[in-house]
Amino acid sequence: MFRLGLGRAFAGGLCAAPQATASAAYSMAPAVAHRAGPLGGLGRAALPHVLPAPLTGAVAAPARGFASRKHKKLIKMAKGYRGRANSVYSVALQRVTKALQYAYRDRKVKKREFRKTWIERINAAGRQHGIGYSRLINGLERSNIELNRKVLADLAVTEPMSFKSVIATIKQPK
């Protein structure tokens, strides 16, 4: 059976396969008519092939997109990472997942670090006035002064005279 069209392609170019006309193709119908189908058993070969017009000039490859919005969003989150971690989805997924774990953990650590800093500042300022941290906090509770550590540390740094008056209130005998 002959194909209509340009023939078979191989590494060296197009081979010159014999061309058949549509009338010749219809005349080569198989002997078994019930298996022939509407095109006489020739399948697509009976239809004339329409070839696109030859392209002129340089053709740019189509821009490659993302598989999904999820991939695009994750690659955007990985912006600034080194190596393949900012462009390959599977690598970026691992890096972004780990980064989110670090972010979650460090939000808790940040709170601990601030509290630690406030306590250090309160202790240092209290010792300048002759009272340690634990006695200062205990005195605040006994005097019903409700200042948290953040405010106390800020007073100690920015308003030393106000902090001194708080300590004076604590030291007064009841």
Side-chain angles (χ1 to χ4, degrees), residues 74 81 88-101:
L74 193 113
Y81 291 2
V88 177
Y89 175 76
S90 58
V91 180
L93 177 63
Q94 294 171 358
R95 296 293 192 278
V96 168
T97 304
K98 195 64 173 176
L100 292 173
Q101 289 172 357

Side-chain angles (χ1 to χ4, degrees), residues 2 21 27-28 35 40 49 58 68 79 96 107 120 132 162 164 170:
F2 299 118
T21 62
S27 66
M28 293 188 286
R35 291 188 188 168
H49 292 290
S68 68
K79 187 175 179 182
V96 168
R107 282 194 296 272
E120 288 170 358
S162 300
K164 185 177 180 179
I170 292 169

Side-chain angles (χ1 to χ4, degrees), residues 5-125:
L6 296 176
R8 287 184 299 202
F10 67 97
L14 295 175
C15 68
Q19 300 296 315
T21 62
S23 61
Y26 280 115
S27 66
M28 293 188 286
V32 184
H34 69 277
R35 291 188 188 168
L39 298 176
L42 295 175
R44 292 180 60 205
L47 300 175
H49 292 290
V50 179
L51 297 175
L55 298 173
T56 57
V59 178
R64 213 184 114 111
F66 286 96
S68 68
R69 279 189 190 151
K70 183 175 82 169
H71 288 206
K72 187 174 185 179
K73 181 180 171 186
L74 193 113
I75 293 293
K76 187 176 180 183
M77 289 174 73
K79 187 175 179 182
Y81 291 2
R82 295 183 64 169
R84 292 188 307 157
N86 66 10
S87 58
V88 177
Y89 175 76
S90 58
V91 180
L93 177 63
Q94 294 171 358
R95 296 293 192 278
V96 168
T97 304
K98 195 64 173 176
L100 292 173
Q101 289 172 357
Y102 286 140
Y104 177 81
R105 180 198 68 189
D106 290 341
R107 282 194 296 272
K108 314 297 180 222
V109 171
K110 181 180 176 184
K111 292 170 181 62
R112 276 180 237 149
E113 293 294 324
F114 267 109
R115 182 181 167 97
K116 198 165 124 180
T117 303
W118 296 331
I119 290 171
E120 288 170 358
R121 289 179 181 172
I122 294 167
N123 190 25

